[in-house]
Amino acid sequence: MATVTKRAKAHASLRKTIDEPMVDQENYNVSLTSALVWYRDNVDEKKIRKFALEYFAKLGKKKEVLAINKANDYDVRQLGVLCRLVSNGNALSEDHMKTIDNMVNHIIRKEALPTKIKEDKTVIVPVASNVISIQQRMEEKAHDLAGEIEGAIDDFVLNGCKSDFSTKNYLLANQVAGPIAKRIGEFFIKTSEEIREAIAGDDSQIVEGYSHLTKRELKRFADFVDGIISDCQQQVQTAKANRAPRKRKAPPASKVVSKMKFMKDFAELNLKSCKPEDILTSTELWVYNTKYRKVTVYKSDGGTLSVKGTTILGFDIKESKTMTLRKPEEYFKGDTMGKRALNGAFKKLTTKPSAPNGRVNEECILLGAF
C-alpha cells in the first residue's frame, strides 16, 4: 500500500512540474500530433519510460512493466507518450488504444519474457504463448514503420513545411512488402483529407486547428502527405514486380507415366519391359511392337525424353527410326538387351526404315531406356 501511495505522489508531483498538452476531441489529429511533438521536445527518454511504467503498474500488469524496463528507448518512446495522455484524462481513439496494446505486446515478444509471473516476481515455467496471426504481425510491422514517417511529418511542420525526407527511399531501404506498404499509406489518408478540408475552408473548426499554417504552407503540407501515400502505393507495385515467380514443383515420375500403356512381358520371346519411369531420365528408348513386329529407337533432341499420356515426347524425328523384323526370334536370340547389342542388331536389318509417331500401347514392350 505504501508503495502505491508513494508512486501516486510522485506522479502528481511530475504533473505539477510541467504544463502538459491535452488532446482536443474536435481537432483530434492535429492536437494529438502537436502533443507528440511537444513531449518529444520537452520530456527526456527517462521520464517517457516512467510514463509507460506508471500506466501499466496502475493496471496491475507486471509482465508489461518488466518488459518496458528492459526495452530500448526507441520502442518505448511513442508508447510512453500515449500512456501519459491517457493517464492525464485524455480520451484516445479506439485505434490509438489498440496501438498501445500492440506496442507493449511487441515489446514483450521482443524481450522474450515468460507468459506467467508470480506475485513475488519469480519466473514460472514458460508456457506456450498465444499464436499471433499473420495479419496481426503485418499490422504491427506497418505501425512500426509508420512511426518513422510520422516523425518526418512532425519535422516537416516544425521546419516551416520543408523536408528532404523521401518515403520512397525509406520503404526501399527497409524492403517493405507490398501489403505492409499499402497499410502504411492507409494510415495517412485521413490526415490528407483533413488538410484538404482546411485549405477549402468549409469547416471552421478544422480551419482553426490549422490556423498556425499559412495557405501556402497548407498546400505544401497536403502535397507532402499525398506524396507519402503515393510512394506507398508505388512501393506496392515495386514489391510485386520484384517478387520472384513461384517455382512450380515438378510432379513425381510415377504420376507422369501413370497413364502410359505398355506390355510388361512377352513370354513368346522371353522379353520384359523396363520401368517406364526410366524414360524420363534417358536420352534413348527402345520399343518393340509385338503385334506388328516393329522395333523403334527414340533418340532425344538434346535433353531427356518425356511422356505425356501414352506418347513419347522430346525425340528427334530424323535420328529416331522404326524397322520391321522379319525374324524376331533371331533378333532377340541374345540374352543381353543392352544399348550396344540393340544398336548392333538394328544396323544389320535390311527392311525399309520409317519415322516413328511416338505412340506406345499395350502391345509394346519397353526394351530399354538409356
Side-chain angles (χ1 to χ4, degrees):
M1 184 67 182
T3 304
V4 176
T5 305
K6 184 178 179 181
R7 186 185 293 121
K9 286 181 179 179
H11 180 66
S13 174
L14 181 61
R15 291 190 62 181
K16 289 177 184 178
T17 58
I18 50 179
D19 184 18
E20 299 178 53
M22 299 292 286
V23 177
D24 182 0
Q25 295 300 317
E26 293 182 353
N27 296 291
Y28 182 80
N29 288 333
V30 177
S31 59
L32 180 61
T33 300
S34 299
L36 292 172
V37 174
W38 186 92
Y39 279 105
R40 186 191 68 185
D41 295 342
N42 294 281
V43 183
D44 61 32
E45 303 289 357
K46 187 176 180 181
K47 285 184 179 179
I48 288 178
R49 184 184 297 272
K50 188 174 182 180
F51 294 157
L53 291 171
E54 289 184 346
Y55 174 83
F56 287 103
K58 287 181 180 179
L59 295 177
K61 296 187 176 183
K62 294 184 178 180
K63 181 172 62 176
E64 284 79 353
V65 170
L66 290 179
I68 293 167
N69 260 325
K70 291 185 176 183
N72 60 51
D73 290 338
Y74 177 80
D75 288 336
V76 177
R77 189 180 303 144
Q78 192 171 0
L79 172 65
V81 174
L82 293 176
C83 289
R84 183 60 170 177
L85 290 171
V86 175
S87 298
N88 285 351
N90 292 283
L92 298 187
S93 68
E94 185 178 344
D95 284 344
H96 282 114
M97 293 304 293
K98 286 181 180 178
T99 299
I100 292 177
D101 292 335
N102 289 337
M103 285 179 171
V104 75
N105 287 333
H106 170 73
I107 291 173
I108 290 172
R109 288 194 299 275
K110 195 171 181 180
E111 298 304 323
L113 287 175
T115 55
K116 287 187 178 180
I117 295 178
K118 290 184 177 179
E119 290 301 316
D120 62 358
K121 296 183 181 179
T122 57
V123 177
I124 295 179
V125 177
V127 296
S129 59
N130 293 331
V131 177
I132 305 299
S133 69
I134 294 175
Q135 288 76 13
Q136 287 175 308
R137 292 184 188 278
M138 288 173 58
E139 187 73 11
E140 290 178 14
K141 182 69 174 176
H143 275 286
D144 289 345
L145 292 166
E148 185 72 22
I149 298 175
E150 287 173 353
I153 291 176
D154 295 341
D155 293 338
F156 179 84
V157 175
L158 292 171
N159 294 329
C161 293
K162 295 178 182 178
S163 174
D164 56 0
F165 177 80
S166 170
T167 305
K168 177 182 178 180
N169 292 341
Y170 172 70
L171 297 174
L172 287 172
N174 287 277
Q175 298 180 335
V176 179
I180 295 175
K182 180 182 178 183
R183 187 69 185 110
I184 293 171
E186 290 171 353
F187 293 154
F188 300 99
I189 291 175
K190 191 172 181 180
T191 303
S192 173
E193 292 172 349
E194 196 172 73
I195 299 169
R196 294 294 177 188
E197 287 181 23
I199 294 172
D202 297 331
D203 190 319
S204 59
Q205 291 182 344
I206 292 179
V207 170
E208 184 180 347
Y210 287 92
S211 59
H212 61 291
L213 298 175
T214 65
K215 203 80 169 179
R216 179 178 291 182
E217 287 175 336
L218 274 175
K219 288 180 179 178
R220 287 208 298 264
F221 193 8
D223 291 340
F224 184 71
V225 177
D226 287 346
I228 291 171
I229 298 169
S230 177
D231 286 345
C232 289
Q233 293 170 344
Q234 181 60 43
Q235 178 65 16
V236 174
Q237 301 304 318
T238 302
K240 194 180 294 184
N242 293 338
R243 186 171 55 194
R246 186 176 179 180
K247 291 184 179 179
R248 190 173 180 179
K249 188 178 179 180
S254 57
K255 186 176 181 180
V256 176
V257 300
S258 61
K259 295 181 180 180
M260 190 174 186
K261 296 178 181 179
F262 64 97
M263 184 182 286
K264 290 187 178 180
D265 54 69
F266 185 52
E268 186 179 324
L269 294 174
N270 195 28
L271 300 176
K272 290 184 179 180
S273 287
C274 67
K275 292 181 181 179
E277 290 89 346
D278 294 343
I279 299 172
L280 305 180
T281 57
S282 69
T283 58
E284 191 171 308
L285 172 68
W286 290 79
V287 179
Y288 175 60
N289 188 306
T290 60
K291 183 178 180 179
Y292 297 106
R293 297 180 292 115
K294 291 182 181 290
V295 173
T296 300
V297 56
Y298 292 99
K299 295 186 178 182
S300 75
D301 56 5
T304 56
L305 297 171
S306 185
V307 174
K308 184 177 182 182
T310 60
T311 305
I312 306 298
L313 302 177
F315 64 91
D316 190 326
I317 193 69
K318 292 182 179 179
E319 296 295 325
S320 303
K321 296 176 182 178
T322 296
M323 296 185 79
T324 304
L325 301 182
R326 290 194 176 95
K327 297 179 180 180
E329 61 280 356
E330 290 187 12
Y331 186 86
F332 295 112
K333 65 181 178 181
D335 293 332
T336 12
M337 279 290 136
K339 183 177 178 180
R340 181 176 293 181
L342 287 169
N343 270 303
F346 196 75
K347 288 177 181 178
K348 294 177 182 180
L349 297 176
T350 57
T351 54
K352 187 177 180 179
S354 61
N357 58 14
R359 305 285 286 181
V360 178
N361 56 41
E362 58 274 3
E363 294 169 342
C364 295
I365 286 285
L366 305 178
L367 297 172
F370 309 101

